[in-house]
Amino acid sequence: MSSKTSEPQGPTSGDSDGKTDLKPTTEIDDVAIRFAGDSGDGMQLTGTKFTDETAMAGNDLSTFPDFPAEIRAPAGTMAGVSGFQIHFSSHDIHTPADRVDLLIAFNPAALRANLEDVRSQGMVVINSDAFTQKALTRAGYEEDPREELKTRYALVEIPLTRLNREALQGLSLSQREADRCKNFFALGLLCWLYCRPTEATERWLAGKFKGDVLQANLTTLRAGFAFGETTELFPVHYTIPSAKIEAGTYRNITGNSALAWGILAAGKQLSMPVFLGAYPITPASDVLHEVSRHHEFGIKTFQAEDEMAAVSSTIGAAFAGQLGVTISSGPGFILKQEALGLAVMVELPLVAINVQRAGPATGSPTKTEQGDLLAVLFGRHSQSPVPVLAASTPGDCFHIVLEAFHIATKYMTPVVVLSDGYLANSAEPWKIPDVDSLPRSTVNFAGRETMGADTEFEPYRRDPATLARPWAIPGTPGLEHRIGGLTKEDISGNVVYTAENHQRMVDLRAAKVARIAEDIPPLEVEGPDSGELLVIGWGGTRGAITAAVESAREDGLSVSQAYIRHLNPFPSNLKEVLTSFKHVLCPELNEGQLAMLLRSRFLVDVQSFSKVAGQPFKVQEIRERIDSFLTEKS
Amino acid sequence: MSSKTSEPQGPTSGDSDGKTDLKPTTEIDDVAIRFAGDSGDGMQLTGTKFTDETAMAGNDLSTFPDFPAEIRAPAGTMAGVSGFQIHFSSHDIHTPADRVDLLIAFNPAALRANLEDVRSQGMVVINSDAFTQKALTRAGYEEDPREELKTRYALVEIPLTRLNREALQGLSLSQREADRCKNFFALGLLCWLYCRPTEATERWLAGKFKGDVLQANLTTLRAGFAFGETTELFPVHYTIPSAKIEAGTYRNITGNSALAWGILAAGKQLSMPVFLGAYPITPASDVLHEVSRHHEFGIKTFQAEDEMAAVSSTIGAAFAGQLGVTISSGPGFILKQEALGLAVMVELPLVAINVQRAGPATGSPTKTEQGDLLAVLFGRHSQSPVPVLAASTPGDCFHIVLEAFHIATKYMTPVVVLSDGYLANSAEPWKIPDVDSLPRSTVNFAGRETMGADTEFEPYRRDPATLARPWAIPGTPGLEHRIGGLTKEDISGNVVYTAENHQRMVDLRAAKVARIAEDIPPLEVEGPDSGELLVIGWGGTRGAITAAVESAREDGLSVSQAYIRHLNPFPSNLKEVLTSFKHVLCPELNEGQLAMLLRSRFLVDVQSFSKVAGQPFKVQEIRERIDSFLTEKS
Amino acid sequence: MAAEVAPKLTRKDFVADQEVRWCPGCGDYSILANVQRVMPELGVPRENIVFISGIGCSSRFPYYMDTYGFHTIHGRAPAFATGAKAANPNLSVWVVTGDGDGLSIGGNHLLHTIRRNLDIQILLFNNQVYGLTKGQYSPTSALGMRSKSSPQGSIDHPVDPISYALGCGATFVARTIDVDAKHMQQVLKRAHDHKGTSFIEILQNCPVFNDGIWEDVEDRKTRAKNTLVLEHGEPLVFGSEGERKGILMQDGRPQVIDLADDDDPKERGVVIHDEKLETPSYASALATLTRPDFPLPVGVIREVEKTCYEELLEDQIKEAVDQKGAGDLHALLHSGDTWTVS
Amino acid sequence: MAAEVAPKLTRKDFVADQEVRWCPGCGDYSILANVQRVMPELGVPRENIVFISGIGCSSRFPYYMDTYGFHTIHGRAPAFATGAKAANPNLSVWVVTGDGDGLSIGGNHLLHTIRRNLDIQILLFNNQVYGLTKGQYSPTSALGMRSKSSPQGSIDHPVDPISYALGCGATFVARTIDVDAKHMQQVLKRAHDHKGTSFIEILQNCPVFNDGIWEDVEDRKTRAKNTLVLEHGEPLVFGSEGERKGILMQDGRPQVIDLADDDDPKERGVVIHDEKLETPSYASALATLTRPDFPLPVGVIREVEKTCYEELLEDQIKEAVDQKGAGDLHALLHSGDTWTVS
Ligand SMILES: Cc1ncc(C[n+]2csc(CCOP(=O)(O)OP(=O)(O)O)c2C)c(N)n1
Ligand SMILES: Cc1ncc(C[n+]2csc(CCOP(=O)(O)OP(=O)(O)O)c2C)c(N)n1
Ligand code: SF4
Ligand code: SF4
Ligand SMILES: [Mg+2]
Ligand SMILES: [Mg+2]
């Protein structure tokens, strides 16, 4: 964090209300802050609003919400703490940051649960009203930590509850209602501190609330801003110049919204109706919610009774000629494996999305992990190959769904898309793609006209180029036929159990999926094409890997990185890439699943760097591993 | 097949009825024959009875039943053909043989479906009464194949239907009832041809039937035997000297019976009640059937409504303190993965058996495959390690269940046992183990007495040696506690979501399973300890691999073999074994699943030899691959 | 609704070219024949007809119908059918399932499909046994049934398919018998005409693993005595001339009375069959009539009207388009806060 | 049967040391308190009590009970309970589930557990919403309910838990309300005393995602008017003094009549509640009474006797041992044909 301080300037808020800035501003280029409070304190909302303001201010940013599995875990306890971290910067950033420069803690439990992530001498803002003896005990503090804290952090105590109540005096709200607004006081204060505009939040409030509640929120937001300006507690405030980003129109997007919009976009881009069958599960449910809000896209959403029905109905819809998509998370995804195996056998197109979470079993549903790679590849009985793609950033979730549908319909196959809990809820500024530039394709259903008058329809006669079988949908006269899960005869699709046919169909299914490699762009290496160390990853760890590798390269180390979006089939140049480096390191939030695939396929000594703690990688962890690795090996 | 002919001798049947042998006998040391007919013709029964006689005659043997998925597929069609092959010998044999020396075909479809497996100039016995024009057409023959056949085989036409009817004249059976006995005529004939006793069959008939039906079956059995003696069609018959086998009492056993008896034995050897929860599925159902016949062992069998309930009830029983076991085949097994993941999290002992079948999807339910290795290892979401054992012969199925229970209870973990459709239904002579020599162990439930008076019970405080947590069962005063699928805190078992604890528990679960390697015997190599080529396999392919490798070694090739019974964790000397050979070949009835594991773990260039045709390996296939492999590499 | 332009079809048009692979004498043959006979009379173009099944002997059914067909996985056929019908409401969707497929592993999908009331037909072939897996007892097997997996007799109380369907909120519930061709065809037509999920239990003999369980109602000689043929608006009368009987309800408890041939059943207080009753308690009373004390009701037990899922689903799209206009991807991507970097 | 030797326990003995993690005001708190209060009165040693649940807010229940507890996976709790009870019939097994856990993903296990009639208790907390996953409509949500996954209103017809349980052949079916402590405790005790599977629907308020759906029966002011408190042998009378009403059944159709305070309901033809009726049609008529036209029945709707699965299972072992002697492994391995090589 580099900084330069300057004298008081004009208004930084977009409002031209003539406010003048009374304090000096310091220019810094990179900040990470975290909001933390009870699940009921509105931390996720506050964080999201600050994120929007920050985006509008033109910074690059990355966020990380972290909340408990309970709806509203017991107030004041460690288990009930909800956090929202945002990292923003005047340059390109890749992660929500390992440590925060500022923590704002609404109660002692929030302080205790988050303190260790504050950088040394970082700022810790607390709601001093919440530091009662009872609350301290509830948080598990044996004594008041504040004195001790001052030695290690810049502690700022603010009587947030009282200030908020005072700001709202005169409005006809109950005290409880008033107290619920205090997060907006804090938001106002932080907007002042980092010279963010508050416009977008005010607009959002106006759209969301009316009457006294609207008034209260606006009032306390502004009061918080004003408090920053006047209080002695903050001698300076900060500007973060806008980042140099590619020209274009941007918005913030989370992985889950991007998946939902990708699904809606797929219908448009393939000019076909979409059917989404799903059963709610954290952290995938929001995709169902978001899609359900947009029936005007002609999409049908079906909340099934369970995951088996979710995937089965989706396959049924695909059979009937629609773009089927189903979404779940690990525990639900594995319940779909039997039906996905049927989809492999009957060769119907379909996209199955798995937003991975931390396990095993119910595990930690709101935490992230990359534990399901082998399960999606190999979790069906017998040889049952499916293409697998993994998204690497929130915005990528949009494009990957489109790509998955393209593959599914071109090759007549179910396709699995992997996301994870971190991507699902994290936000990043996303350059909105030009709709006209998005890939389009047309699906050709089989029709009687393509056949001779007396020929029998052959549901397993393949396109020689793609090995896809024809998609003949009910309602098409003359193509009546039967499909099913029993071993199919090549070409005719009849049921047969002969050995040669069994082998042939196994081979054909494998060959078809392998052939998709022809549509996959070669793996790109970031950094030199060869050298000492390649760090290779997949999915949502991309940001952390990029940041770590870039920093290592800045320090003169011979390190490059690559990330695999297509996990089955692999990009065709993968072997070449791997063998161009002396060493390969593979950081994963699992026990080395991609590493295992690479080792077995290419007999390259890929070293796994594994973390399975329900949390994303910190940049520093990867950087240290790179350093220690290079030291060991040299 | 070597042979030596001798003059007519005394009775070969155990009956001392004074029959004298009227024809010369030829001594041969190895024969394979196949019975083939409609599903309704009783081929499986006939084959089983012939197997029993052969076993009693002291030969080593191996059988292979092969039948359609339909209960009684359309009579006279290829789809309806049911076959039973038996290979018997005066020396040690390992497989049911690649080709048969004699085929007995009850109708044209049976002939057509099986002919290609008869060795050149082998004997083909047909029921000439069944070779009507209609039947030929139904079988798909455009013209009568008999003339042409004679050039390539020793064709023997017998009017089986008529001979059987004639034999049964005078008994008060309807023609349909009489016709149903004709398989016993054939059995009698073949018993004569190979000098088998008919005692055991007669005893079995007497136990099974009464009155005219008993009489009819006995009569036609003897008539078939007599027909052999008198007809001109068979100039000689054959004796196969008994094999030199280890001393002991033997019986025939199929893999499924052995699994069932292993389950019953487990209750005895661990002195605990057993609970079997299962949902029927081919080819695993017979295990449920056999166990259900033996409630006198104190076992409880529960036919669940589906696989989820089967495994869940079993875990419930384990929670309540019983030896839980659940059994299924691929499509059913994968439905149990979610609950098995819970068992991993709550660390309860349990044995889950998967009798693999050919897939994907419903596939070919009565055919065999080894397709589920990766699915049982990696098919649960997240990191969810379980020990995996695979049986390699029918008799081994008995011992492996005992071993699995031993591991499960010692380490407090679910254990997966793999069998397959081939092992399930094949029979081999099995040396009955001495019950007193079978391993025993005692399970120690946690009790209040082991704890201090005021201490809280800690359900996740582990035994330092095994890392097993205590098994504290409901009904034990003072140990009331709660378990579940949410991330558990080390030692206390409370629900927590902290990163360090999550990582620690992931590591502990992995370490616990890895530690089981200490109980696993080192991998044994059959043949020299090092050399040119190691052929490595697992599961039901063991016999074919052994036969192929032995034959290669006999021909002077430098080939050894090893087979892996413990697939997770691996035997600790596995790396050493693999690296002692220049090349490693891994034949599997899948697309190279074990090969993948070995390559990734040890970075050894293990070459996969894959067959996925619903059929076991032929010895010759493996032998040829060995030969070509050694040629390529040299 | 499907356009009714197809040339007149015959039974043969519905016979697929696949060899039928059931055991000789299996009740499934007769059901197949009757379904094939009814199809041409429905006025639905053949290409709009879809048969969807799970796994079991019964579930091989679609292979033998020359329509669109999908043999899926065990127990989930209603869910596949839900997707197909929801995707294309023009299709005439028929689910074929067994007592094991539909009521053992598949009970949950039956429940939810029935309550959503999509306009499909569900035919459950009840042979009280798992045929395909070679003879285990099923959820409809009688207590005490000896089977491969219950050599000492089943200890599960059976579920009654009709009561179950009623408990799930079914809008159309009927029962018919494999060998009663005319009756089955009538019931199938009624099921097709019903707008909503039609649930039909078809009693089916499995001569191999459970022979004769339905003999008293299958045998023409005893059928009249043992079945109660339901007709809307007609009294609950059964038996044949000289042995007519009727059914009364006393305090919700059913009771059989003898009727002289010239008795007016209505006057004697015999219940008049009413399919349309809003409360399902009458239907549930019918469902629980058990032999030998009572005859087995066959025919349409209940038919009431409720909205269909697939129609409401289409309505939601229309409503959304009416309110917001057809989905506009560009607008969606630019909704909410955006900013432009130049 | 559990030996009744435990020292007198109190509510506190059943309070686990874990912090309760439901939202403030959640109906689950009151249910927990009532269950904890009832436990000491059952005369079952604490170590013999087992709570088993699936996944959902409601399914966190076992963590808060100081008994043996097992928080399993979504929808399968009845199957886990089946295994535990069958393994050890001495245990007092309580299943806790929600409308989503029990009736959405878990409907099939509910069906089969109920029909097998193991002697366990199933408590289904019905808040008509998926709480834990933050507010989607559930299978019991009313048509039209707007939720996160149904912003235009749900288009699924709800299933009625009581009708469903009856259709499954339940031997004990009851309903009670989260806030009615006394009533709930009575019902819980009755459920425990019943030999067989007791199914209890507990109406539960979720203030966060579905606040107030049960308000008319939870609020003391309106409860008397809106609930029909069932007592075996008592007439179906509800309302409070001055506003008493009774329920008649006319041709199986229920009907409400006004009663003067001094009317004898029986004379007026009001139905006398009979839990024990063999045919479930009366119970199913009760189950379908819907507000506002009718009050909501609470209490024990049906209790009948049937054999219990776990007992028959033990009997089979006894019978087998009686007939064949205790299992002898050596004899088993040597059964059938064997031969000896020397
Ligand atoms: C997941 C799964 N579990 C089990 C099976 C085995 N299975 C196939 S059909 C069947 C029962 C069929 O019974 P039913 O539906 O009554 O059909 P029927 O054969 O009697 O017509 C079973 C258990 C399977 N195919 N898939
Ligand atoms: C296999 C699986 N699918 C989905 C989920 C997500 N999930 C957890 S609880 C729940 C619904 C709970 O609803 P309900 O039973 O009504 O409980 P409540 O929270 O309302 O008490 C769902 C869908 C899961 N945990 N596991
Ligand atoms: S087993 Fe039974 S149900 Fe199956 S085809 Fe044969 S007779 Fe029909
Ligand atoms: S979400 Fe609803 S049901 Fe869940 S704890 Fe909160 S109030 Fe209770
Ligand atoms: Mg059946
Ligand atoms: Mg709920």
Side-chain angles (χ1 to χ4, degrees), chain B residues 67 69-72 74 77 79 138 279-282 285 288-289 292-293 295 303 305-308 335 362, chain C residues 19-23 55 57 60 74 76 100 104-105 130-132 134 136-137 148-149 151-152 208-209:
Chain B
F67 41 85
E70 288 75 20
I71 300 309
R72 206 157 287 168
T77 66
R138 209 159 154 70
Y279 184 67
I281 187 167
T282 305
S285 316
L288 171 64
H289 303 160
S292 301
R293 290 178 54 230
H295 289 133
Q303 178 174 306
E305 57 270 27
D306 60 20
E307 285 84 359
M308 275 83 69
L335 290 174
T362 307
Chain C
E19 193 129 31
V20 183
R21 296 193 190 170
W22 289 309
C23 306
I55 303 286
C57 295
R60 296 286 175 98
H74 198 30
R76 324 276 174 215
S104 193
I105 191 169
Y130 294 168
L132 190 69
K134 306 202 175 168
Q136 300 82 12
Y137 68 105
K148 283 214 186 114
S149 54
Q152 293 174 269
V208 174
F209 295 113

Side-chain angles (χ1 to χ4, degrees), chain D:
Chain D
M1 286 294 82
E4 322 239 326
V5 291
K8 185 75 188 134
L9 299 168
T10 68
R11 177 189 166 189
K12 273 213 203 125
D13 291 305
F14 290 92
V15 177
D17 63 353
Q18 296 301 296
E19 193 131 32
V20 184
R21 297 192 190 171
W22 288 310
C23 307
C26 178
D28 292 349
Y29 282 100
S30 140
I31 306 175
L32 176 64
N34 287 313
V35 171
Q36 287 169 335
R37 262 185 219 111
V38 161
M39 287 292 126
E41 300 180 29
L42 302 180
V44 178
R46 193 169 58 135
E47 64 270 18
N48 280 0
I49 298 177
V50 179
F51 276 80
I52 297 182
S53 66
I55 303 287
C57 295
S58 31
S59 288
R60 296 286 174 96
F61 200 94
Y63 288 121
Y64 310 134
M65 293 292 303
D66 197 0
T67 61
Y68 283 93
F70 199 174
H71 177 226
T72 70
I73 49 176
H74 198 29
R76 323 280 174 212
F80 284 88
T82 297
K85 181 74 182 178
N88 183 357
N90 275 338
L91 301 177
S92 173
V93 176
W94 299 72
V95 171
V96 176
T97 182
D99 45 317
D101 188 64
L103 281 168
S104 192
I105 191 167
N108 201 35
H109 308 301
L110 212 49
L111 156 61
H112 293 282
T113 305
I114 285 175
R115 78 180 173 84
R116 291 193 192 102
N117 199 38
L118 291 104
D119 185 15
I120 62 175
Q121 293 69 241
I122 301 178
L123 318 184
L124 186 142
F125 298 7
N126 186 3
N127 57 9
Q128 298 194 356
V129 78
Y130 294 168
L132 191 70
T133 46
K134 308 203 173 168
Q136 300 82 13
Y137 68 105
S138 92
T140 58
S141 299
L143 203 71
M145 177 193 177
R146 284 175 201 270
S147 74
K148 282 213 186 115
S149 55
S150 58
Q152 294 174 270
S154 156
I155 59 177
D156 293 23
H157 298 283
V159 59
D160 169 48
I162 301 287
S163 304
Y164 183 67
L166 291 169
C168 297
T171 56
F172 181 101
V173 180
R175 183 189 275 137
T176 187
I177 305 172
D178 52 1
V179 294
D180 193 345
K182 213 179 104 202
H183 188 261
M184 190 186 310
Q185 293 177 38
Q186 280 167 3
V187 168
L188 291 172
K189 269 181 269 181
R190 286 283 314 271
H192 175 259
D193 292 343
H194 173 68
K195 209 157 160 41
T197 301
S198 306
F199 176 84
I200 310 177
E201 179 192 13
I202 305 182
L203 311 185
Q204 176 238 329
N205 191 37
C206 168
V208 174
F209 294 114
N210 210 12
D211 197 25
I213 36 152
W214 303 118
E215 197 166 355
D216 61 341
V217 295
E218 279 175 336
D219 189 336
R220 277 169 195 279
K221 288 188 226 99
T222 51
R223 193 186 297 161
K225 193 172 92 195
N226 289 314
T227 61
L228 170 66
V229 183
L230 303 171
E231 296 276 3
H232 184 60
E234 297 296 322
L236 302 184
V237 169
F238 64 105
S240 34
E241 231 164 301
E243 289 190 275
R244 275 167 84 222
K245 295 174 192 227
I247 293 180
L248 313 184
M249 294 278 180
Q250 210 101 46
D251 295 335
R253 286 199 199 80
Q255 202 181 306
V256 174
I257 56 162
D258 289 324
L259 294 176
D261 282 350
D262 53 2
D263 275 355
D264 176 353
K266 212 163 168 181
E267 269 172 27
R268 297 282 313 274
V270 171
V271 177
I272 306 298
H273 181 52
D274 186 350
E275 299 168 349
K276 315 284 178 188
L277 282 176
E278 197 42 48
T279 127
S281 61
Y282 161 69
S284 101
L286 281 184
T288 48
L289 298 182
T290 41
R291 288 156 297 149
D293 295 343
F294 295 96
L296 188 77
V298 295
V300 179
I301 294 170
R302 173 176 166 84
E303 184 188 16
V304 296
E305 281 183 27
K306 269 196 203 173
T307 53
C308 294
Y309 185 88
E310 73 277 15
E311 291 191 351
L312 297 181
L313 195 62
E314 303 257 309
D315 289 351
Q316 286 195 329
I317 294 180
K318 282 187 212 108
E319 184 192 270
V321 172
D322 283 352
Q323 286 175 5
K324 314 191 217 169
D328 174 339
L329 188 55
H330 177 88
L332 176 74
L333 299 183
H334 287 79
S335 61
D337 292 326
T338 64
W339 66 96
T340 301
V341 175
S342 48

Side-chain angles (χ1 to χ4, degrees), chain B residues 192-260:
Chain B
W192 172 83
L193 189 60
Y194 294 105
C195 301
R196 316 274 93 181
T198 56
E199 270 180 323
T201 302
E202 297 190 11
R203 215 163 43 229
W204 179 85
L205 283 169
K208 184 94 181 172
F209 301 109
K210 299 200 282 267
D212 275 353
V213 178
L214 168 60
Q215 205 43 59
N217 281 313
L218 286 175
T219 305
T220 196
L221 176 73
R222 289 172 187 155
F225 197 98
F227 176 76
E229 242 161 15
T230 47
T231 180
E232 303 281 292
L233 293 167
F234 301 99
V236 293
H237 59 161
Y238 305 95
T239 57
I240 297 89
S242 48
K244 265 185 238 79
I245 335 187
E246 208 184 319
T249 301
Y250 285 76
R251 62 171 307 123
N252 281 326
I253 199 157
T254 60
N256 272 350
S257 307
L259 286 175

Side-chain angles (χ1 to χ4, degrees), chain A residues 254-269:
Chain A
T254 61
N256 272 349
S257 307
L259 286 175
W261 292 4
I263 290 168
L264 296 171
K268 289 278 171 191
Q269 300 308 106

Side-chain angles (χ1 to χ4, degrees), chain A residues 27-39:
Chain A
E27 187 179 305
I28 50 180
D29 67 351
D30 194 288
V31 191
I33 68 177
R34 188 183 293 173
F35 298 87
D38 260 335
S39 306

